[in-house]
Amino acid sequence: MLYYLLRRLLMAVPVMFLIALIVFMLLRLTPGDPAQAIAGDQASPEQIAAIRDSLGLDAPLATQFTTWIGNMLRGDFGHSLISQRPVLEMIGQRIGPTLALATVAMVLTVVISLPLGVVAARRHGGLVDRLVMSLSVLGFSVPIFVIGYVLIGIFAVHLKWFPVQGYRPLAEGFWPFLHRIFLPGLALSLIYIALVSRMTRAAMLEVLREDYIRTARAKGLSERVILFRHALRNAAIPILTVVGTGFAMMISGVVVTETVFNVPGLGRLVVDAVLARDYPLIQAIILLTAGTYVVINLLIDISYALTDPRIRYQ
Amino acid sequence: MTISGLRALGWAAMAAGLLHAGPASAETVLNVVMQAPLRTLDPHLSTAQIVRTHGFMVFDTLLGMDADYKPQPQMADYQVSDDGLTYTFTLRDGLTWHDGSPVAAEDCVASLKRWAENDPAGRKMMEYVASIETTSDKVLVLTLARPFGHVLDLLAKPSPVPPFMMPKRLAETPSGEQVAEMVGSGPFKFVAEEYRPGDQAVYVRNEDYQPRPEPASWTAGGKVVNVDKVVWKAMPDMQTSINALQSGDVDLIEQVTIDLLPLLQMNDEVEYGVINPLGSQVTGRFNHRLPPFDDAEIRRAAMYALDQEQLMQTAIGDPEYYTLCASDYGCEVPLASDAGSEYLAGSAEERMAKAQEILKAAGYDGTPVLMMQPTDLTILSTQPIVAAERLREAGFAVEVASMDWATLQSRKNGWQPVAEGGWNMLFTYWGVTGIWNPLVHALLDGSGSDNAWSGWPVSPEIEALREQYLVATDLDEQKRIAAEIQQIAYDQGFYYNAGEFQSVAAWRDGITELQPGPITLFWGVKKPE
Amino acid sequence: MTTPLNPALPRRRLAGNLPHWTVILSLAILAAALAMAILAPQLANFEPTRINAAMRLQPASETYWLGTDSFGRDLYSRIIHGARVSLVVGAGVAAGAILIGLPLGLLAGWFRGLDAVLMRLMDGMMAIPGILLAIAIVALTKAGLVTVIIAIMIPEIPQVVRLVRSRVLAARAEPYVEAAQLLGTPAPRLILRHLLPATIAPLIVQATYIYASAILTEAALSFLGVGIGTEIPTWGNIMAEGRLYFAMRPWLVFWPAIVLSLCILSINLLGDALRDRLDPKMKGRAD
């Protein structure tokens, strides 16, 4: 297991390098000019040329790439072309709200969708099942910005239970933090609640037909023990896969949620950076998310082995 | 989760939030949603409106411009020699940089030079300048080699890029590089620690600032700051901004989408209005280097086909907030002129018939017009669609190419054939301060030079008239030249003037003394504690 | 062990049983959507791109059944025409992602040497935000249907690969696969006959999900200003444009949202029903 872990981590290195190269090339091939973003749309070509020159954007691409990789290996992720601030500092300013948002969404997802999925599977074909399935489908057939506006309209503007926008860091106290992050977290989680409860139901249905469940029933174990101790554990793989891949999809959901609720997080930062062609910033954020995926997927693969004894890693 | 559960959570969190509210203080903080996020800070380098507004917070100018378009002393009093060739500026007492050091004349010389390097009008002026020198710590002298009529106007200009003053060490930053610190001498200090590019910028009152004794008028007069702190927030979603204003999270929205004003009308706690009397002009620019718009006849056909009212109606909505006029310099400015208004006269149908006729006569060969449309900039996303529809009706083949604003901006700088990424027409908008005379109006540049703003029209007549304008000092003379330039620009189809729109700001009841100005100004404003 | 040794697709039950009413309803809704797409020019009252500046943001009326948008264009006609693009985007993305993802997933699940490399590559692909891909691809080629489909499809592929692979991994450990392996069944046959079928049911669920998600992603791209241009109406960009007026004219968003949601709902219910029927393990438990 330890050997497997090490090998996986080692393999991540070339993958990250490959991502770095792809992103770098993709960005340089994309039209757009950070110098123009600095100078504004009324600037003359001379002004833009002077800024381009000072940014070192006219150096050969290979040189730019090796400089960037070299600096990064020394821990220097560079400075934003637009704001001239260190990239790591900018990411540091924005990562908190996004982590908070993702965490709240994930907690809500697990707390709500696992029981829903299990109950739906248990009452397969019944009213509860149909209700859960239909509602869950609604969760991912409505665009997240519509969900956001509706939630704000009902719970913030009319009922005034929650603030309409904004973010408070956890450092300012847990309740103010939760008060502001709850609605965006809920908006973001609906799609995952839908997804995970469907997957839970599907996987549970499959497992519930297995022999050992029948055996467990025959032994006279209580339904609750059967559902949550035996069945859910064995249904875990597809559920985990969906949770893991769901994290990947969060990026686009996070971007929109952060926009609608005005949460100053990474999602907005990366979109702004893309639209302004802030190369070092985009590159760093993508490498960061890539690294996160690699780690999360590693954790999921490990949890496969832990939850399903049939899978062994050599 | 049940509804009652949600409600309980909401109340609990709110109650706890109240208990945890930060220490009460008498500090007045003005929370503002600005029209664009602030991502870059150097006010000499950027022509973006938001950076200019930021510039007027942190930095000061030698001269200010008052509501009558007159240059007035701001950091310095001035004297002009009888021959009009020597300008002497004397810094007033008590000026200090935000780092505590006193403002010296040599700082200002370095700042002027850096500004002129970055501002096309400033660069033009420097062609006429023999020297800028200090004669003491407090006095600088600008000497012209030959007459130039606009020194004071340029030094007072509030349009991008204003000649902001900064310490010499910053002004000597190499060309094209951004200054490393925000040290100015303006009425606000920039709080670098709280700056989050693209999201938040924070300014505190500069306690050492000594306002002029005169009442404030635009960027002239006493800049008296009545709040302790100003926080700029970027909110990418207008609906969110309006919610935030209505709930009291913010005090002021710099620019509200006019279609949404009915929402604010219903709210007693919110007011709105125009605080910047000068609007912005929407311009449809032809690429003069590529067919079909390399032909003046075909450009004229396009101008007849387009319709100001339709363009404005679709983009703005409420006619109270847009103005239809021919003037290329802005509808209400001193140089405003109705030269060329024959291109806009008559009903839309009449003009369409004329357009069809001209296009046919010009022998238009069906070369498609590539119209660039920005998808992520609301204010400019409608015009290309509306224009394309009218041009098609006139007989043009039009292809609308949708792209993000950054792509559009870099694509506009090239003039290669359309198949290789070129373009034929695009829409932009310009604050009236940036186009109010032939010297600063980038779209009236007739040099056809590669260094001119995109479109590259060529007109020796206009260039000759612009030279005349540079030396003209008399307002009537300036008006005559400006009108002649405008007529030629219309006749040759430099660009299509798509009308002028106003920016509407909205604020919480209780916010008072918002200063009218060519930009949003934050001195004078009062917020109750 | 009741699992048959060869869990190939069962041929029973597809005929004989009456489908559930939800299936009929879903089919009806999808048929209606399809008809909308095909007959759009006949059904629409106006050209979807026809601008009328004097008639902006009108409420529903006899002329404008669902009102007009901010260009004064007829919302009803735009939604009808939007069906074309939105359905094609969904189908294109789902088909493309599965056509590419399925073989990769099978390979990764079977050939352990390939697995590690392939999966890390997939991790990497997922890490590149769709919006960046969309901007880059749209900018590099030309904004249009195919580019948007490709941009949305690429980030979906790794999810298919992961799902297929996880199924293959689980199936490999089943006794019937081990038995087949011991009997010397060649790999391609083993994969096609024993492993592929194990992936079908979850893939159907996944495909419906991708279909739904693709249409929504298109909307999100429009929301962020990098989607298909407004001259081609899609449910996504109709909603994205209407969102600015949400507080005043919520139906500009709600109508396309309802149509879109109904379609996605139907696709999903169909997917569920199909899944329940196709999966041999569901025998005896189906309603």
Side-chain angles (χ1 to χ4, degrees), chain A residues 280-297:
Chain A
L281 188 55
I282 307 170
Q283 288 161 358
I285 296 177
I286 290 178
L287 278 190
L288 182 81
T289 44
T292 316
Y293 290 144
V294 170
V295 170
I296 283 190
N297 285 322

Side-chain angles (χ1 to χ4, degrees), chain B residues 41-359:
Chain B
L41 300 176
D42 193 323
H44 281 167
L45 226 47
S46 176
T47 61
Q49 299 205 21
I50 185 75
V51 182
R52 173 187 49 155
T53 312
H54 154 81
F56 274 107
M57 302 289 280
V58 178
F59 299 92
D60 215 340
T61 46
L62 289 179
L63 309 180
M65 181 164 283
D66 70 12
D68 298 319
Y69 304 90
K70 293 272 181 300
Q72 299 291 351
Q74 185 48 263
M75 288 171 77
D77 292 300
Y78 65 89
Q79 275 179 312
V80 188
S81 65
D82 291 338
D83 61 2
L85 290 179
T86 309
Y87 293 75
T88 309
F89 300 92
T90 310
L91 294 172
R92 64 187 165 97
D93 292 330
L95 296 175
T96 53
W97 300 116
H98 294 166
D99 63 5
S101 55
V103 175
E106 60 172 3
D107 293 320
C108 300
V109 172
S111 299
L112 280 178
K113 285 182 175 157
R114 181 169 196 265
W115 160 74
E117 208 172 277
N118 286 295
D119 182 63
R123 189 177 297 199
K124 196 86 204 162
M125 180 183 88
M126 292 309 267
E127 291 173 12
Y128 292 76
V129 169
S131 68
I132 308 179
E133 279 160 349
T134 60
T135 54
S136 78
D137 267 1
K138 294 272 182 200
V139 180
L140 58 149
V141 178
L142 183 152
T143 314
L144 292 174
R146 48 200 168 116
F148 181 81
H150 308 276
V151 173
L152 298 176
D153 286 343
L154 285 183
L155 295 189
K157 85 179 173 124
S159 58
V161 171
F164 292 118
M165 294 297 125
M166 49 182 65
K168 191 176 172 199
R169 64 189 167 89
L170 295 181
E172 286 177 343
T173 304
S175 147
E177 248 174 62
Q178 301 185 37
V179 292
E181 290 169 80
M182 281 296 105
V183 175
S185 63
F188 289 93
K189 285 183 176 176
F190 184 72
V191 186
E193 302 76 46
E194 294 185 52
Y195 170 48
R196 286 198 298 267
D199 177 49
Q200 171 180 283
V202 178
Y203 306 86
V204 292
R205 172 168 47 200
N206 177 7
E207 302 293 350
D208 299 324
Y209 187 77
Q210 293 181 13
R212 297 189 68 89
E214 303 93 355
S217 173
W218 284 19
T219 61
K223 302 176 177 178
V224 180
V225 176
N226 293 321
V227 290
D228 298 306
K229 197 171 179 181
V230 175
V231 178
W232 286 8
K233 297 291 289 182
M235 288 196 195
D237 191 282
M238 182 49 68
Q239 189 67 54
T240 312
S241 312
I242 287 183
N243 289 340
L245 182 74
Q246 293 188 324
S247 71
D249 287 1
V250 300
D251 302 302
L252 172 68
I253 302 179
E254 189 190 17
Q255 197 172 331
V256 186
T257 303
I258 286 163
D259 277 326
L260 299 183
L261 289 180
L263 288 179
L264 299 177
Q265 224 155 22
M266 297 183 291
N267 191 325
D268 295 341
E269 295 172 340
V270 171
E271 292 174 51
Y272 61 86
V274 175
I275 47 178
N276 174 358
L278 296 174
S280 302
Q281 185 181 108
V282 177
T283 59
R285 181 65 149 180
F286 305 110
N287 183 351
H288 293 236
R289 288 190 177 176
L290 288 187
F293 290 139
D294 56 348
D295 179 338
E297 275 299 305
I298 289 177
R299 292 195 296 270
R300 272 195 287 275
M303 284 168 67
Y304 277 116
L306 300 177
D307 182 50
Q308 274 194 342
E309 181 161 27
Q310 191 198 22
L311 286 162
M312 276 295 150
Q313 236 173 8
T314 328
I316 305 297
D318 190 339
E320 191 175 333
Y321 299 108
Y322 62 78
T323 318
L324 308 177
C325 77
S327 175
D328 282 350
Y329 310 105
C331 299
E332 309 289 343
V333 298
L335 293 185
S337 156
D338 57 5
S341 53
E342 62 271 21
Y343 290 92
L344 311 173
S347 74
E349 289 74 34
E350 286 164 22
R351 271 180 282 117
M352 180 56 80
K354 206 161 184 176
Q356 289 164 343
E357 199 179 298
I358 295 176
L359 193 62

Side-chain angles (χ1 to χ4, degrees), chain A residues 8 15 198 209 249 293 297, chain C residues 120 123 127 209 272 281:
Chain A
R8 280 287 298 266
V15 171
R198 283 174 70 81
R209 294 206 55 263
M249 288 158 26
Y293 290 144
N297 285 322
Chain C
R120 298 301 79 68
D123 292 349
Y209 173 67
D272 282 359
K281 296 186 183 181

